[in-house]
Amino acid sequence: MAGEFELIGRHFNWPAPQGYLGVGDDCALLPVATGHRLAVTTDLLVEGCHFFPDVDPETLGHKALAVNVSDLGAMGARPIGCVLGLSLPRADDAWLAAFARGFRALADAVNCPLVGGDTTRSPSGVIISVTAMGEVPVGSALKRSAARPGDDLWVTGVLGGAHVALELLQGRHPQYDDRLDALQPCLERPIPPVAFGAALAGHAHAAIDISDGLLQDLGHILKASACGADIDFGLLPVHPALEGLPPELVQSAVLNGGDVYQLCFTAAPDMRETITDLAGQYGVSASRVGRIRAGTGIHVGNSLLPLGADSYAGFDHFG
Amino acid sequence: MAGEFELIGRHFNWPAPQGYLGVGDDCALLPVATGHRLAVTTDLLVEGCHFFPDVDPETLGHKALAVNVSDLGAMGARPIGCVLGLSLPRADDAWLAAFARGFRALADAVNCPLVGGDTTRSPSGVIISVTAMGEVPVGSALKRSAARPGDDLWVTGVLGGAHVALELLQGRHPQYDDRLDALQPCLERPIPPVAFGAALAGHAHAAIDISDGLLQDLGHILKASACGADIDFGLLPVHPALEGLPPELVQSAVLNGGDVYQLCFTAAPDMRETITDLAGQYGVSASRVGRIRAGTGIHVGNSLLPLGADSYAGFDHFG
């Protein structure tokens, strides 16, 4: 089998950037800038747990990297490279080519070169491990614990798209299936605002990606920072294709919908102009949606509907 | 299940060293010394492919890290940390405690702190991904391509132990089962000479770990460096518990036995005293066993038996 799986590796044997040593030795070598910390995040994705056997391989390749580089951006780190472990039941050339294409397109888009990996046979389903590495100036990382009362609360991009796309794909609201074309890319090809996240280092305080839903992920920041927050629902950036959907669906998608890979971050009010300028520079929309305060909990004002226990479903382990 | 698997994570939530940010944020943060490259290696270990379901979990924890830190040492890199992805069919507390104990004992022994990870449910067997990171001075990495004709060829530790231990555990030579106590640790608890490998950076030329057997792994160096090598079999460090075993078993174990996690490296002859001094300083035995020459192939002199095609079994994809 070794030969077959060496062939698999060739789908990922992309040339290493200058100053790097890529695939082919005991380790890859990467440059880390002086005065920076190395930021590292890892995810293990397992067929039957994180994705189904019939998932589109190009989408899978994209998302396997997206979940990791999103964490780099949320730390304020500029990507320097990633490694990929891939275990497959068989060497299916078309599947591999599509997976590699999806992975590489995002790697190129966010400047996170693949520098090494490990490819083996799996006795059951597909297994993917990705470890992404970045660099962040010492003392500038956007830690969850760094929010302060008085900070503005910001969100990038638009919210709710991935959640509604998933519901439509599950056949939940067939009368709105005409929205699927506009929403499906939010679910399947999210582009995390990684370079913008890195640019926020030193300007913003705390950040997190909205992979588990806005309320739950903001809850992680508040818990780590020992603060509370007020959100103005009317300021939240709602995906335009959600217009006209039932208010309960929109509200739930925006507040609790996960898989967003946008950033929720906090910054001092005197940073508003800097942040708006950076957002323009990096082609990211950044919306100021509330503020951090002393105390605990999240108060959502101007919501579409009264907030029941339901709206805080993603918020359990904060309380 | 999330709650259960968060509990699993607690088995690995060890305090981060000073200057680090460990588990609990979007990324871990690690220091990398100025003037150094980041060295990275990753392995994906899958039940039913790399190990059996009944493997001792403490041994598995040890070896999962050993295969990675061994690659750091073979690159001349000092470990700075590792991340662990773990996917399990169920949360078995005793199994996890033993796995964590084995992993941590080696992490402590080689100064490679666990700084982050990802723990999930697996629909089938145990899956382990480890990514280890180290630092090596710019220009000093022990690349496979760096061997030069005239270099001495060195080997650390003693050879053959893991191979014979595996054969004994498989019931192949019951008349020698009295050797198992002495040999089993070579197979199950190898301690890679990582600090010594890091100390060789800047002094030695090429290095590789002997995970696939001496001839095959030396073959990787020779191919990358476009050289040949002469080995004096009589100079090879044979595990003392192999004394009195049949010559064909000893010869095969020493030349082709894998899973060794010792280093094979090359260095200029004027480095002999430095290397011997470093070996003493790090408590490692280093044996000079031959030399690198122009040309191709490996010539083994003074072998116990004539070298048949068999002895080069591990050497296939070099030729």
Side-chain angles (χ1 to χ4, degrees):
Chain A
M1 289 314 301
E4 183 186 357
F5 280 79
E6 276 170 24
L7 285 176
I8 292 177
R10 291 192 195 161
H11 279 279
F12 301 94
N13 195 355
W14 303 321
Q18 192 155 19
Y20 285 67
L21 181 72
V23 174
D25 215 306
D26 301 299
C27 294
L29 297 178
L30 299 83
V32 178
T34 302
H36 286 61
R37 284 278 186 272
L38 169 67
V40 180
T41 177
T42 193
D43 276 286
L44 186 56
L45 304 176
V46 181
E47 181 180 305
C49 176
H50 301 92
F51 57 90
F52 293 107
D54 62 350
V55 65
D56 169 56
E58 191 167 343
T59 296
L60 186 62
H62 178 103
K63 285 200 76 170
L65 181 59
V67 298
N68 276 277
V69 291
S70 182
D71 280 330
L72 291 182
M75 206 68 188
R78 190 185 75 83
I80 55 175
C82 60
V83 291
L84 168 67
L86 193 55
S87 187
L88 301 170
R90 65 196 163 278
D92 175 336
D93 211 58
W95 192 97
L96 272 163
F99 180 91
R101 194 163 57 239
F103 194 97
R104 183 165 192 177
L106 183 61
D108 287 346
V110 299
N111 284 313
C112 188
L114 180 72
V115 296
D118 185 27
T119 319
T120 61
R121 171 179 265 286
S122 159
S124 48
V126 173
I127 302 160
I128 305 161
S129 85
V130 178
T131 303
M133 290 150 286
E135 60 186 15
V136 57
V138 172
S140 297
L142 306 176
K143 298 183 194 176
R144 295 181 183 182
S145 59
R148 301 171 201 171
D151 274 2
D152 292 328
L153 182 65
W154 297 79
V155 164
T156 64
V158 289
L159 302 177
H163 180 85
V164 174
L166 184 62
E167 297 226 327
L168 294 178
L169 287 172
Q170 289 169 340
R172 296 256 181 94
H173 315 279
Q175 68 274 39
Y176 301 117
D177 276 352
D178 59 323
R179 318 291 177 101
L180 195 53
D181 281 353
L183 294 173
Q184 204 164 348
C186 304
L187 183 67
E188 298 187 343
R189 300 291 165 94
I191 308 273
V194 187
F196 176 66
L200 288 177
H203 301 302
H205 289 154
I208 195 166
D209 70 356
I210 311 175
S211 48
D212 294 328
L214 177 60
L215 292 188
Q216 178 161 331
D217 285 314
L218 174 57
H220 290 309
I221 287 183
L222 298 179
K223 185 176 179 188
S225 300
C227 297
D230 297 321
I231 292 178
D232 184 334
F233 190 92
L235 296 177
L236 288 174
V238 181
H239 194 294
L242 267 57
E243 202 186 320
L245 296 189
E248 59 270 28
L249 177 56
V250 173
Q251 183 158 312
S252 160
V254 168
L255 293 180
N256 299 314
D259 244 0
V260 176
Y261 305 110
Q262 292 292 336
L263 295 176
C264 167
F265 65 96
T266 85
D270 62 7
M271 282 292 151
R272 286 176 193 174
E273 199 179 319
T274 303
I275 287 167
T276 307
D277 287 351
L278 287 173
Q281 193 178 324
Y282 287 93
V284 168
S285 71
S287 309
R288 193 154 48 81
V289 302
R291 65 175 200 99
I292 301 296
R293 57 168 166 74
T296 59
I298 303 173
H299 176 259
V300 182
N302 297 318
S303 54
L304 299 178
L305 297 166
L307 282 161
D310 191 44
S311 295
Y312 289 98
F315 194 30
D316 269 356
H317 55 275
F318 176 58
Chain B
M1 291 312 302
E4 183 186 355
F5 280 79
E6 277 170 21
L7 285 176
I8 292 177
R10 291 191 195 160
H11 279 280
F12 301 95
N13 195 355
W14 303 321
Q18 190 152 20
Y20 285 66
L21 181 70
V23 175
D25 215 306
D26 302 298
C27 295
L29 297 177
L30 300 82
V32 179
T34 302
H36 286 61
R37 285 277 185 273
L38 170 66
V40 180
T41 178
T42 194
D43 276 286
L44 187 55
L45 305 177
V46 181
E47 182 180 307
C49 176
H50 301 91
F51 56 90
F52 293 107
D54 62 350
V55 64
D56 169 57
E58 191 167 343
T59 295
L60 186 62
H62 178 103
K63 284 199 78 171
L65 181 59
V67 298
N68 275 277
V69 292
S70 182
D71 280 330
L72 291 181
M75 206 68 189
R78 191 185 74 83
I80 56 175
C82 60
V83 292
L84 168 68
L86 194 55
S87 187
L88 300 171
R90 65 196 164 278
D92 175 335
D93 212 59
W95 192 97
L96 272 162
F99 180 91
R101 194 164 55 239
F103 193 97
R104 183 163 193 176
L106 183 61
D108 288 346
V110 299
N111 283 313
C112 188
L114 180 72
V115 296
D118 186 25
T119 319
T120 62
R121 170 180 266 285
S122 159
S124 47
V126 173
I127 302 160
I128 305 161
S129 84
V130 177
T131 302
M133 291 150 286
E135 61 185 16
V136 55
V138 172
S140 298
L142 306 176
K143 297 183 194 175
R144 294 181 184 183
S145 58
R148 301 172 202 171
D151 274 2
D152 291 327
L153 181 65
W154 296 78
V155 164
T156 64
V158 289
L159 303 177
H163 180 85
V164 174
L166 184 62
E167 296 226 326
L168 294 179
L169 287 172
Q170 290 169 339
R172 297 255 181 94
H173 315 280
Q175 69 274 38
Y176 301 116
D177 276 353
D178 59 322
R179 317 290 177 101
L180 195 53
D181 281 353
L183 294 174
Q184 203 163 348
C186 304
L187 183 66
E188 299 187 344
R189 301 293 165 92
I191 309 273
V194 186
F196 176 65
L200 288 177
H203 300 302
H205 289 154
I208 196 166
D209 70 355
I210 311 175
S211 48
D212 294 328
L214 177 60
L215 292 187
Q216 178 161 331
D217 285 315
L218 174 57
H220 291 309
I221 287 182
L222 298 179
K223 185 177 179 187
S225 300
C227 298
D230 298 320
I231 293 178
D232 184 335
F233 189 92
L235 295 177
L236 287 174
V238 182
H239 193 295
L242 268 58
E243 202 186 319
L245 296 188
E248 59 268 29
L249 177 57
V250 172
Q251 184 159 311
S252 160
V254 168
L255 293 180
N256 299 313
D259 244 0
V260 174
Y261 306 109
Q262 292 293 335
L263 296 176
C264 166
F265 65 97
T266 84
D270 62 7
M271 282 292 152
R272 286 177 192 173
E273 198 178 321
T274 302
I275 287 167
T276 306
D277 287 351
L278 287 173
Q281 192 177 326
Y282 287 92
V284 168
S285 71
S287 307
R288 194 154 48 81
V289 301
R291 67 176 197 100
I292 301 297
R293 55 168 166 76
T296 59
I298 303 174
H299 176 259
V300 182
N302 296 318
S303 53
L304 299 178
L305 297 166
L307 281 162
D310 190 46
S311 295
Y312 289 98
F315 193 31
D316 270 355
H317 55 273
F318 174 60

